[in-house]
Amino acid sequence: MNLNTIVDVKRPKSFEEIEWRDGHAFLGGGTWLFSEPQVSTDTLVDLERLGWPALTVTPSGLEIAATCKIVELHDFKGPPEWRAVPLFDKCIDCFLMSFKIWNAATVGGNIVMSLPAGAMISLTAALEGVCTLWPQNGTPREVPVVDFVTGMHTNVLQKGELLRQIFLPASALTKRFAMRQVSLTHFGRSAALIVATVEDNDYDFLLTITAATPRPVHIRFRKTPSAKELHQAINERLPPDAWFNDVHGSAAYKRHVTFYLAEQIRAELS
Ligand SMILES: Cc1cc2nc3c(=O)[nH]c(=O)nc-3n(C[C@H](O)[C@H](O)[C@H](O)COP(=O)(O)OP(=O)(O)OC[C@H]3O[C@@H](n4cnc5c(N)ncnc54)[C@H](O)[C@@H]3O)c2cc1C
């Protein structure tokens, strides 16, 4: 849609060029920004010309620029020892999206939206991602993805603070994984998107619960748990009022399918 409150679009080539004030909004792919009126925004700050490389492989892991498009992540082929890379496509497929969103939406835009069904949140939280945030007039800071999202459409970003990148450590990318997702309708938003990762010797089993809860939840076990231990841990961590109730599924439904899918994942990885 046309945003008739916008009077200026800035296209900075460096972060230092940005002079932030109220009324500014960072523009990623624009798929959400242009999907509804933005009455309190008069200026878009387009991130594209900052020219960040979309994906950078380093010995310690993968740097995903906030401006990396969903389609670029989809096309990524990692080193063979990064066994969790196929999870990228599996999470991307959970995104309710059109051709336009697939090609325009950015990984950073999805994470900053901080919706429970944000598939890039599920992916990067499950792979122990760490966000680099650039505040206005401050020192860059790092926040794990699992702590970045604080609730439905809320996160730790301060005014004018930019999500620069998400780093996925090689230690998580080399783990085995299993994933399950359900939606109430065939192409609907996720009601639950659950991932677990584990090392070869059954050590460091990490369960990540998303979409069923307002924010991502990690439950970590030293070794792959038994069915009983897993059930008990989810129960203790997430009381009945901790589940997310919306048109895409009631809290009771999401709680029920989470237990069901988490056990499937545990059995698959055992
Ligand atoms: C039909 C349709 C279906 C959708 N389905 C889903 C879905 O299933 N799940 C889901 O989560 N979302 C969904 N969305 C919402 C949205 O399209 C996605 O979340 C998308 O990934 C947002 O990315 P973007 O790059 O287009 O963000 P933009 O629209 O550019 O920006 C989104 C928000 O993030 C801010 N922002 C963007 N980049 C940065 C940055 N680097 N640092 C700080 N702030 C930033 C913007 O200012 C804005 O507030 C859907 C939208 C539509 C229209």
PDB file of all heavy atoms in Angstrom, residues 16-18 23 27 48 65 80 100 106 108 111 125 128 143 148 150 153 155 169 174 222 230 239:
ATOM      1  N   GLU A  16      26.912   5.901  10.384  1.00  0.00           N
ATOM      2  CA  GLU A  16      27.233   7.217  10.950  1.00  0.00           C
ATOM      3  C   GLU A  16      26.422   8.336  10.274  1.00  0.00           C
ATOM      4  O   GLU A  16      26.196   9.400  10.840  1.00  0.00           O
ATOM      5  CB  GLU A  16      28.735   7.537  10.801  1.00  0.00           C
ATOM      6  CG  GLU A  16      29.661   6.672  11.647  1.00  0.00           C
ATOM      7  CD  GLU A  16      29.670   5.198  11.240  1.00  0.00           C
ATOM      8  OE1 GLU A  16      29.627   4.912  10.026  1.00  0.00           O
ATOM      9  OE2 GLU A  16      29.711   4.337  12.142  1.00  0.00           O
ATOM     10  N   GLU A  17      25.991   8.089   9.032  1.00  0.00           N
ATOM     11  CA  GLU A  17      25.215   9.114   8.311  1.00  0.00           C
ATOM     12  C   GLU A  17      23.807   9.286   8.878  1.00  0.00           C
ATOM     13  O   GLU A  17      23.127  10.259   8.562  1.00  0.00           O
ATOM     14  CB  GLU A  17      25.040   8.680   6.846  1.00  0.00           C
ATOM     15  CG  GLU A  17      26.111   9.116   5.908  1.00  0.00           C
ATOM     16  CD  GLU A  17      25.817   8.605   4.494  1.00  0.00           C
ATOM     17  OE1 GLU A  17      24.668   8.726   4.028  1.00  0.00           O
ATOM     18  OE2 GLU A  17      26.750   8.061   3.895  1.00  0.00           O
ATOM     19  N   ILE A  18      23.363   8.323   9.678  1.00  0.00           N
ATOM     20  CA  ILE A  18      21.959   8.342  10.124  1.00  0.00           C
ATOM     21  C   ILE A  18      21.798   9.299  11.305  1.00  0.00           C
ATOM     22  O   ILE A  18      22.467   9.153  12.332  1.00  0.00           O
ATOM     23  CB  ILE A  18      21.494   6.915  10.541  1.00  0.00           C
ATOM     24  CG1 ILE A  18      21.628   5.966   9.348  1.00  0.00           C
ATOM     25  CG2 ILE A  18      20.057   6.944  11.063  1.00  0.00           C
ATOM     26  CD1 ILE A  18      21.457   4.501   9.693  1.00  0.00           C
ATOM     27  N   GLY A  23       9.799   9.530  14.392  1.00  0.00           N
ATOM     28  CA  GLY A  23       9.187   9.608  13.054  1.00  0.00           C
ATOM     29  C   GLY A  23       9.986   8.832  12.023  1.00  0.00           C
ATOM     30  O   GLY A  23       9.506   8.563  10.931  1.00  0.00           O
ATOM     31  N   LEU A  27      13.990   0.717   7.156  1.00  0.00           N
ATOM     32  CA  LEU A  27      13.303  -0.047   6.112  1.00  0.00           C
ATOM     33  C   LEU A  27      14.150  -1.253   5.734  1.00  0.00           C
ATOM     34  O   LEU A  27      15.263  -1.104   5.233  1.00  0.00           O
ATOM     35  CB  LEU A  27      13.093   0.866   4.888  1.00  0.00           C
ATOM     36  CG  LEU A  27      12.540   0.221   3.615  1.00  0.00           C
ATOM     37  CD1 LEU A  27      11.147  -0.353   3.852  1.00  0.00           C
ATOM     38  CD2 LEU A  27      12.505   1.246   2.474  1.00  0.00           C
ATOM     39  N   GLU A  48      19.345  -0.796   2.594  1.00  0.00           N
ATOM     40  CA  GLU A  48      19.945  -1.564   1.503  1.00  0.00           C
ATOM     41  C   GLU A  48      21.325  -1.050   1.103  1.00  0.00           C
ATOM     42  O   GLU A  48      22.259  -1.818   0.876  1.00  0.00           O
ATOM     43  CB  GLU A  48      19.017  -1.581   0.289  1.00  0.00           C
ATOM     44  CG  GLU A  48      19.390  -2.685  -0.659  1.00  0.00           C
ATOM     45  CD  GLU A  48      18.307  -2.980  -1.675  1.00  0.00           C
ATOM     46  OE1 GLU A  48      17.362  -2.164  -1.805  1.00  0.00           O
ATOM     47  OE2 GLU A  48      18.417  -4.020  -2.354  1.00  0.00           O
ATOM     48  N   ALA A  65      23.757 -11.019   7.827  1.00  0.00           N
ATOM     49  CA  ALA A  65      23.447  -9.589   7.930  1.00  0.00           C
ATOM     50  C   ALA A  65      21.943  -9.440   8.139  1.00  0.00           C
ATOM     51  O   ALA A  65      21.152 -10.234   7.613  1.00  0.00           O
ATOM     52  CB  ALA A  65      23.862  -8.875   6.645  1.00  0.00           C
ATOM     53  N   PRO A  80      30.029 -29.065   4.642  1.00  0.00           N
ATOM     54  CA  PRO A  80      29.300 -30.306   4.940  1.00  0.00           C
ATOM     55  C   PRO A  80      29.164 -30.614   6.434  1.00  0.00           C
ATOM     56  O   PRO A  80      28.209 -31.223   6.860  1.00  0.00           O
ATOM     57  CB  PRO A  80      30.119 -31.392   4.226  1.00  0.00           C
ATOM     58  CG  PRO A  80      31.329 -30.738   3.701  1.00  0.00           C
ATOM     59  CD  PRO A  80      31.174 -29.271   3.754  1.00  0.00           C
ATOM     60  N   LYS A 100       6.427 -12.305  -3.337  1.00  0.00           N
ATOM     61  CA  LYS A 100       7.000 -10.981  -3.074  1.00  0.00           C
ATOM     62  C   LYS A 100       7.728 -10.966  -1.726  1.00  0.00           C
ATOM     63  O   LYS A 100       8.844 -10.476  -1.605  1.00  0.00           O
ATOM     64  CB  LYS A 100       5.875  -9.944  -3.077  1.00  0.00           C
ATOM     65  CG  LYS A 100       6.359  -8.534  -3.201  1.00  0.00           C
ATOM     66  CD  LYS A 100       5.318  -7.633  -3.810  1.00  0.00           C
ATOM     67  CE  LYS A 100       4.191  -7.344  -2.847  1.00  0.00           C
ATOM     68  NZ  LYS A 100       3.201  -6.416  -3.377  1.00  0.00           N
ATOM     69  N   THR A 106      13.528  -9.441   4.819  1.00  0.00           N
ATOM     70  CA  THR A 106      14.878  -9.669   5.325  1.00  0.00           C
ATOM     71  C   THR A 106      14.819 -10.479   6.629  1.00  0.00           C
ATOM     72  O   THR A 106      13.810 -10.461   7.337  1.00  0.00           O
ATOM     73  CB  THR A 106      15.595  -8.338   5.604  1.00  0.00           C
ATOM     74  OG1 THR A 106      14.852  -7.622   6.612  1.00  0.00           O
ATOM     75  CG2 THR A 106      15.694  -7.484   4.344  1.00  0.00           C
ATOM     76  N   GLY A 108      16.556  -9.804   9.264  1.00  0.00           N
ATOM     77  CA  GLY A 108      16.502  -8.835  10.368  1.00  0.00           C
ATOM     78  C   GLY A 108      15.097  -8.284  10.567  1.00  0.00           C
ATOM     79  O   GLY A 108      14.630  -8.152  11.699  1.00  0.00           O
ATOM     80  N   ILE A 111      13.015 -10.739  12.449  1.00  0.00           N
ATOM     81  CA  ILE A 111      13.354 -10.846  13.873  1.00  0.00           C
ATOM     82  C   ILE A 111      12.869  -9.603  14.627  1.00  0.00           C
ATOM     83  O   ILE A 111      12.300  -9.705  15.714  1.00  0.00           O
ATOM     84  CB  ILE A 111      14.873 -11.085  14.041  1.00  0.00           C
ATOM     85  CG1 ILE A 111      15.233 -12.466  13.467  1.00  0.00           C
ATOM     86  CG2 ILE A 111      15.295 -10.977  15.495  1.00  0.00           C
ATOM     87  CD1 ILE A 111      16.708 -12.782  13.408  1.00  0.00           C
ATOM     88  N   ALA A 125      17.031 -18.734  16.948  1.00  0.00           N
ATOM     89  CA  ALA A 125      17.028 -19.075  18.382  1.00  0.00           C
ATOM     90  C   ALA A 125      17.473 -20.520  18.545  1.00  0.00           C
ATOM     91  O   ALA A 125      18.299 -20.835  19.415  1.00  0.00           O
ATOM     92  CB  ALA A 125      15.639 -18.866  18.982  1.00  0.00           C
ATOM     93  N   GLU A 128      21.119 -21.079  18.393  1.00  0.00           N
ATOM     94  CA  GLU A 128      21.851 -20.330  19.418  1.00  0.00           C
ATOM     95  C   GLU A 128      22.449 -19.027  18.901  1.00  0.00           C
ATOM     96  O   GLU A 128      23.583 -18.650  19.228  1.00  0.00           O
ATOM     97  CB  GLU A 128      22.914 -21.245  20.057  1.00  0.00           C
ATOM     98  CG  GLU A 128      22.259 -22.473  20.676  1.00  0.00           C
ATOM     99  CD  GLU A 128      23.218 -23.559  21.113  1.00  0.00           C
ATOM    100  OE1 GLU A 128      24.112 -23.262  21.910  1.00  0.00           O
ATOM    101  OE2 GLU A 128      23.055 -24.716  20.644  1.00  0.00           O
ATOM    102  N   VAL A 143      23.176  -9.613  22.034  1.00  0.00           N
ATOM    103  CA  VAL A 143      22.056 -10.189  22.795  1.00  0.00           C
ATOM    104  C   VAL A 143      21.658 -11.508  22.118  1.00  0.00           C
ATOM    105  O   VAL A 143      21.398 -11.524  20.912  1.00  0.00           O
ATOM    106  CB  VAL A 143      20.835  -9.226  22.778  1.00  0.00           C
ATOM    107  CG1 VAL A 143      19.662  -9.813  23.548  1.00  0.00           C
ATOM    108  CG2 VAL A 143      21.198  -7.855  23.314  1.00  0.00           C
ATOM    109  N   PHE A 148      16.349 -11.592  22.781  1.00  0.00           N
ATOM    110  CA  PHE A 148      16.049 -10.374  22.006  1.00  0.00           C
ATOM    111  C   PHE A 148      14.537 -10.119  21.990  1.00  0.00           C
ATOM    112  O   PHE A 148      14.068  -9.003  22.213  1.00  0.00           O
ATOM    113  CB  PHE A 148      16.584 -10.535  20.581  1.00  0.00           C
ATOM    114  CG  PHE A 148      16.255  -9.387  19.671  1.00  0.00           C
ATOM    115  CD1 PHE A 148      17.081  -8.269  19.618  1.00  0.00           C
ATOM    116  CD2 PHE A 148      15.119  -9.406  18.864  1.00  0.00           C
ATOM    117  CE1 PHE A 148      16.778  -7.194  18.791  1.00  0.00           C
ATOM    118  CE2 PHE A 148      14.819  -8.345  18.035  1.00  0.00           C
ATOM    119  CZ  PHE A 148      15.641  -7.233  17.994  1.00  0.00           C
ATOM    120  N   THR A 150      11.009 -10.135  23.518  1.00  0.00           N
ATOM    121  CA  THR A 150      10.547 -10.132  24.910  1.00  0.00           C
ATOM    122  C   THR A 150       9.060 -10.458  25.020  1.00  0.00           C
ATOM    123  O   THR A 150       8.551 -10.668  26.104  1.00  0.00           O
ATOM    124  CB  THR A 150      10.819  -8.753  25.550  1.00  0.00           C
ATOM    125  OG1 THR A 150      10.253  -7.751  24.688  1.00  0.00           O
ATOM    126  CG2 THR A 150      12.295  -8.505  25.717  1.00  0.00           C
ATOM    127  N   HIS A 153       5.423  -9.037  19.540  1.00  0.00           N
ATOM    128  CA  HIS A 153       5.738  -7.780  18.852  1.00  0.00           C
ATOM    129  C   HIS A 153       6.547  -6.814  19.739  1.00  0.00           C
ATOM    130  O   HIS A 153       6.471  -5.600  19.577  1.00  0.00           O
ATOM    131  CB  HIS A 153       4.421  -7.137  18.401  1.00  0.00           C
ATOM    132  CG  HIS A 153       4.578  -6.211  17.228  1.00  0.00           C
ATOM    133  ND1 HIS A 153       5.591  -6.287  16.306  1.00  0.00           N
ATOM    134  CD2 HIS A 153       3.814  -5.154  16.824  1.00  0.00           C
ATOM    135  CE1 HIS A 153       5.442  -5.330  15.410  1.00  0.00           C
ATOM    136  NE2 HIS A 153       4.376  -4.631  15.702  1.00  0.00           N
ATOM    137  N   ASN A 155      10.552  -6.234  21.748  1.00  0.00           N
ATOM    138  CA  ASN A 155      11.934  -6.725  21.831  1.00  0.00           C
ATOM    139  C   ASN A 155      12.798  -5.711  22.580  1.00  0.00           C
ATOM    140  O   ASN A 155      12.268  -4.700  23.057  1.00  0.00           O
ATOM    141  CB  ASN A 155      12.485  -7.002  20.417  1.00  0.00           C
ATOM    142  CG  ASN A 155      12.412  -5.784  19.526  1.00  0.00           C
ATOM    143  OD1 ASN A 155      12.837  -4.702  19.925  1.00  0.00           O
ATOM    144  ND2 ASN A 155      11.844  -5.927  18.336  1.00  0.00           N
ATOM    145  N   PRO A 169      26.763 -19.738  15.825  1.00  0.00           N
ATOM    146  CA  PRO A 169      28.062 -20.374  16.111  1.00  0.00           C
ATOM    147  C   PRO A 169      28.190 -21.738  15.435  1.00  0.00           C
ATOM    148  O   PRO A 169      27.205 -22.489  15.323  1.00  0.00           O
ATOM    149  CB  PRO A 169      28.053 -20.529  17.638  1.00  0.00           C
ATOM    150  CG  PRO A 169      26.628 -20.446  18.048  1.00  0.00           C
ATOM    151  CD  PRO A 169      25.899 -19.670  16.997  1.00  0.00           C
ATOM    152  N   THR A 174      26.891 -27.492  13.721  1.00  0.00           N
ATOM    153  CA  THR A 174      27.357 -28.869  13.496  1.00  0.00           C
ATOM    154  C   THR A 174      26.468 -29.900  14.200  1.00  0.00           C
ATOM    155  O   THR A 174      26.644 -31.101  14.005  1.00  0.00           O
ATOM    156  CB  THR A 174      28.807 -29.048  13.989  1.00  0.00           C
ATOM    157  OG1 THR A 174      28.884 -28.539  15.318  1.00  0.00           O
ATOM    158  CG2 THR A 174      29.806 -28.335  13.121  1.00  0.00           C
ATOM    159  N   ARG A 222      21.614 -31.670  29.731  1.00  0.00           N
ATOM    160  CA  ARG A 222      23.007 -32.082  29.557  1.00  0.00           C
ATOM    161  C   ARG A 222      23.084 -33.237  28.554  1.00  0.00           C
ATOM    162  O   ARG A 222      23.966 -33.301  27.732  1.00  0.00           O
ATOM    163  CB  ARG A 222      23.592 -32.498  30.908  1.00  0.00           C
ATOM    164  CG  ARG A 222      25.107 -32.498  30.965  1.00  0.00           C
ATOM    165  CD  ARG A 222      25.583 -32.827  32.366  1.00  0.00           C
ATOM    166  NE  ARG A 222      25.170 -34.172  32.777  1.00  0.00           N
ATOM    167  CZ  ARG A 222      25.828 -35.275  32.468  1.00  0.00           C
ATOM    168  NH1 ARG A 222      26.945 -35.203  31.779  1.00  0.00           N
ATOM    169  NH2 ARG A 222      25.381 -36.442  32.859  1.00  0.00           N
ATOM    170  N   LEU A 230      11.475 -34.940  29.721  1.00  0.00           N
ATOM    171  CA  LEU A 230      11.133 -33.850  28.787  1.00  0.00           C
ATOM    172  C   LEU A 230       9.772 -33.251  29.161  1.00  0.00           C
ATOM    173  O   LEU A 230       9.620 -32.022  29.250  1.00  0.00           O
ATOM    174  CB  LEU A 230      11.093 -34.390  27.351  1.00  0.00           C
ATOM    175  CG  LEU A 230      10.782 -33.354  26.281  1.00  0.00           C
ATOM    176  CD1 LEU A 230      11.965 -32.416  26.073  1.00  0.00           C
ATOM    177  CD2 LEU A 230      10.449 -34.017  24.945  1.00  0.00           C
ATOM    178  N   PRO A 239       4.030 -22.804  32.620  1.00  0.00           N
ATOM    179  CA  PRO A 239       2.733 -23.045  33.260  1.00  0.00           C
ATOM    180  C   PRO A 239       1.598 -22.742  32.282  1.00  0.00           C
ATOM    181  O   PRO A 239       1.824 -22.123  31.236  1.00  0.00           O
ATOM    182  CB  PRO A 239       2.733 -22.052  34.433  1.00  0.00           C
ATOM    183  CG  PRO A 239       3.763 -21.037  34.108  1.00  0.00           C
ATOM    184  CD  PRO A 239       4.764 -21.686  33.204  1.00  0.00           C
TER     185      PRO A 239
END
